[in-house]
Amino acid sequence: MITRLNCGALQGINAFKVELEIDYTRAGMPAFVMVGLAEGAVREAKERVFTAIRACAYKILPAKVTVNLAPADKKKAGTAYDLPLAIGLLTASELIQPIKDLHKIFFAAELSLSGELRPVSGILPLALLARKLGMEAMIVAPENAQEAAIVEGLNIYGLEQLSDVIDFVTEHNIFEPVYYEHKQEWQAYSMDFAEVKGQEEAKVAIEIAAAGGHNLLFIGAPGSGKTMLAKRIPTILPPLTFEEALEVTTIYSVSDKLQTKGLMTTRPFRSPHHTVSEIALIGGGSYPKPGEVSLAHRGVLFLDELPEFSRSTLEVLRQPLEDGNVTISRSAQTLTYPASCMLIAAMNPCPCGYYGDKKHACTCTQQQLARYKAKLSGPLLDRIDLHIEVPAVAYEDFYTEFKGRDSKSMRERVEQARKIQEQRYKGTNCHINAELNGAMLEKYCKLEEKEQEFLTKAANRLALSARSFTRILRVARTVADLEQSEKITVAHLALAISCRVLDRAK
């Protein structure tokens, strides 16, 4: 007897349909054959499944069993095939007689030797696939139920035991589906920009970066507060929209890094160590997984001590920063992961950290200084919209009560600017000013004659590249949005140019 069930496999952050076919026959020598490019964990399912079936007091008689995972030309990995394989074997061997239509049920769970359903990674994209296929129900482990229930229009059942699944398909018992109620709540942070003494110019740049989603580089002596400023950036970013939260949750689901049972509602903040490898940063591996730049999607990727990262590692960031996604090509497949994040980086001005400091003498030689700066290529720096100097705070400021910008007031201005951008780019693929390019850049960053003349003179004097030129326009558009101005003025352009200290240092 041949039985067919529906399940799925992951390809990047998306899932594709896998039809699991089981042929059970008592004729011929007993054997178990699995075909369809199954990886190690999938082939090992045989031992887990047969033991779990015995634990449920069922005994499958020796027979020739052939399992096919279609389409046969795509690799299948993971343990999500355990449950459909178990139900398929029980049905094909006629040990159970399902009353429910198995073709309308999507199965995704690992089995323990005692028959318990265990969670698997990538449940959210699998649930999206099940809805797309028109499935009426999806059976998962209880730990995966809330994540799968994010997808509306699909009944999710978080069952604990294989015996429960048998009761469900044979209708010996009635189970209630799991429902997920989305609540968008603002996360209370333990940090605040009000705690940062001074650094008002840096806070202005941070506000601009957060409002338009721009990349930002801090340059300053050790202890000037670069890391302190960077770690507080999430406190002024607006909450994720439902669509953004779905994107971020999907990435963390396939990476098996999802800490919450439901939808992620806070923007990610990733801070990898400078020893991170290229694959860990952009993704890949034997079984490709998203890297740090994708895990920071719709959030912040913070690279502290930027020149300490290997040059080859930094160079792989160039394409993701420009395109907002990562494409990983292998001989068997090509995967694309989203990587639209804010790059926040920090660096010292020289190896000793005190070049240009008024209170400390720099001990670096010209050769050391040149080698230090050479670690960061021009094309990479071109992709960073804002370069800000962060001077050391005067000792006297530590004892004075300083009332500067706090996270609440900064967040309100950022959210207002983001709302302006949302309305402006409604119905387009663009969401924030940092994503403007081509015809949209000309349309929404149009300058009058006076502004054109000012920007042209500045570009010629600073020898700006075309990429730097367009990034100044994007930043100026954000400055105008923060001031709720439809027109980009000379003042907006001047502030955008002043926030690129590396261009002025040429």
Side-chain angles (χ1 to χ4, degrees):
M1 178 179 178
I2 297 178
T3 301
R4 295 180 177 87
L5 295 93
N6 291 312
C7 48
L10 298 175
Q11 189 172 34
I13 63 168
N14 299 311
F16 63 89
K17 178 185 175 182
V18 173
E19 187 174 51
L20 190 146
E21 300 176 306
I22 299 177
D23 177 35
Y24 178 92
T25 176
R26 297 295 305 277
M29 293 290 292
F32 184 94
V33 179
M34 181 177 288
V35 296
L37 283 183
E39 298 292 338
V42 183
R43 293 194 300 271
E44 291 172 355
K46 170 192 171 185
E47 307 303 329
R48 292 190 298 272
V49 167
F50 276 93
T51 306
I53 289 174
R54 286 199 301 271
C56 295
Y58 290 93
K59 183 180 180 181
I60 295 181
L61 297 176
K64 183 178 181 181
V65 179
T66 303
V67 179
N68 179 42
L69 299 172
D73 61 339
K74 291 186 177 180
K75 287 185 178 181
K76 291 88 180 177
T79 56
Y81 307 99
D82 289 11
L83 180 58
L85 179 58
I87 296 299
L89 282 170
L90 289 168
T91 304
S93 60
E94 299 182 346
L95 290 176
I96 64 172
Q97 301 293 330
I99 296 176
K100 289 186 179 296
D101 185 359
L102 294 182
H103 294 94
K104 291 294 182 179
I105 303 175
F106 196 94
F107 300 89
E110 180 184 332
L111 289 176
S112 71
L113 298 183
S114 60
E116 294 178 359
L117 270 63
R118 288 180 172 172
V120 295
S121 60
I123 278 295
L124 183 53
L126 289 173
L128 291 168
L129 171 65
R131 183 180 65 179
K132 181 180 178 181
L133 294 174
M135 298 291 109
E136 295 178 354
M138 180 177 182
I139 300 179
V140 298
E143 294 86 346
N144 285 145
Q146 278 295 312
E147 181 186 339
I150 295 171
V151 180
E152 297 179 350
L154 178 67
N155 290 323
I156 304 297
Y157 295 88
L159 305 183
E160 296 183 354
Q161 296 279 341
L162 175 59
S163 56
D164 294 334
V165 182
I166 295 171
D167 288 345
F168 176 83
V169 299
T170 58
E171 295 188 354
H172 286 169
N173 202 349
I174 298 175
F175 298 90
E176 291 296 322
V178 176
Y179 296 100
Y180 177 74
E181 184 177 350
H182 174 59
K183 294 182 180 179
Q184 185 71 292
E185 298 179 353
W186 172 253
Q187 179 180 346
Y189 290 93
S190 59
M191 299 179 290
D192 197 289
F193 273 107
E195 301 164 347
V196 181
K197 301 288 185 179
Q199 306 297 8
E200 288 304 294
E201 291 183 5
K203 290 182 184 179
V204 170
I206 289 170
E207 194 172 301
I208 295 171
H214 303 290
N215 302 323
L216 173 62
L217 171 63
F218 295 120
I219 306 170
S224 58
K226 303 185 294 296
T227 304
M228 189 178 185
L229 288 164
K231 288 184 175 179
R232 282 159 177 75
I233 290 177
T235 67
I236 67 170
L237 294 175
L240 290 166
T241 64
F242 180 78
E243 291 74 18
E244 289 175 333
L246 199 60
E247 291 177 3
V248 175
T249 305
T250 300
I251 295 170
Y252 277 73
S253 177
V254 301
S255 304
D256 203 19
K257 295 182 182 295
L258 197 61
Q259 300 296 319
T260 178
K261 290 185 177 180
L263 201 67
M264 288 182 64
T265 57
T266 57
R267 295 185 181 272
F269 182 91
R270 305 293 299 184
S271 180
H273 192 260
H274 64 259
T275 57
V276 66
S277 67
E278 296 174 27
I279 290 178
L281 189 60
I282 67 162
S286 302
Y287 300 101
K289 292 283 187 180
E292 291 291 337
V293 69
S294 294
L295 293 171
H297 182 62
R298 301 299 180 192
V300 175
L301 175 66
F302 177 48
L303 302 183
D304 202 3
E305 304 295 344
L306 188 64
E308 298 303 321
F309 288 78
S310 70
R311 177 159 179 155
S312 61
T313 300
L314 292 177
E315 291 304 298
V316 299
L317 283 175
R318 285 160 57 173
Q319 181 259 336
L321 292 179
E322 190 72 20
D323 300 337
N325 57 63
V326 173
T327 300
I328 300 171
S329 297
R330 297 290 183 266
S331 58
Q333 59 183 337
T334 298
L335 304 175
T336 298
Y337 296 119
S340 181
C341 65
M342 286 175 58
L343 172 65
I344 307 297
M347 63 176 285
N348 297 326
C350 66
C352 77
Y354 295 109
Y355 180 80
D357 192 277
K358 296 179 181 179
K359 294 184 178 181
H360 300 84
C362 177
T363 61
C364 302
T365 64
Q366 287 298 320
Q367 185 180 11
Q368 289 175 322
L369 193 60
R371 189 163 55 246
Y372 185 75
K373 290 183 177 179
K375 291 183 177 180
L376 305 178
S377 68
L380 177 64
L381 293 176
D382 258 358
R383 287 166 168 81
I384 301 179
D385 309 79
L386 306 166
H387 321 140
I388 301 298
E389 288 182 334
V390 183
V393 180
Y395 300 131
E396 293 79 8
D397 290 344
F398 289 109
Y399 303 103
T400 57
E401 185 177 348
F402 184 80
K403 293 185 178 179
R405 297 171 183 250
D406 61 0
S407 292
K408 184 175 183 295
S409 62
M410 293 173 71
R411 183 170 65 249
E412 289 173 352
R413 288 189 290 271
V414 167
E415 289 181 343
Q416 181 62 39
R418 287 284 183 109
K419 287 179 181 177
I420 292 173
Q421 295 167 56
E422 181 182 350
Q423 289 298 319
R424 181 189 299 131
Y425 307 132
K426 195 171 184 180
T428 70
N429 292 328
C430 183
H431 300 88
I432 51 180
N433 290 332
E435 298 174 353
L436 282 173
N437 53 37
M440 294 188 68
L441 190 69
E442 295 180 6
K443 179 179 179 181
Y444 297 111
C445 298
K446 194 172 183 178
L447 302 179
E448 295 185 358
E449 186 176 349
K450 182 172 66 173
E451 284 73 27
Q452 286 180 5
E453 184 180 352
F454 174 82
L455 184 56
T456 302
K457 287 182 179 179
N460 288 328
R461 187 170 66 251
L462 299 173
L464 298 177
S465 68
R467 183 180 287 113
S468 298
F469 186 89
T470 58
R471 289 186 181 273
I472 287 174
L473 277 176
R474 294 173 185 169
V475 173
R477 177 69 270 170
T478 301
V479 175
D481 290 341
L482 283 167
E483 295 185 2
Q484 300 184 37
S485 170
E486 186 61 31
K487 176 186 173 184
I488 298 176
T489 66
V490 170
H492 301 149
L493 291 168
L495 180 54
I497 294 171
S498 70
C499 290
R500 291 183 66 89
V501 298
L502 294 181
D503 288 336
R504 301 203 307 272
K506 288 178 181 177

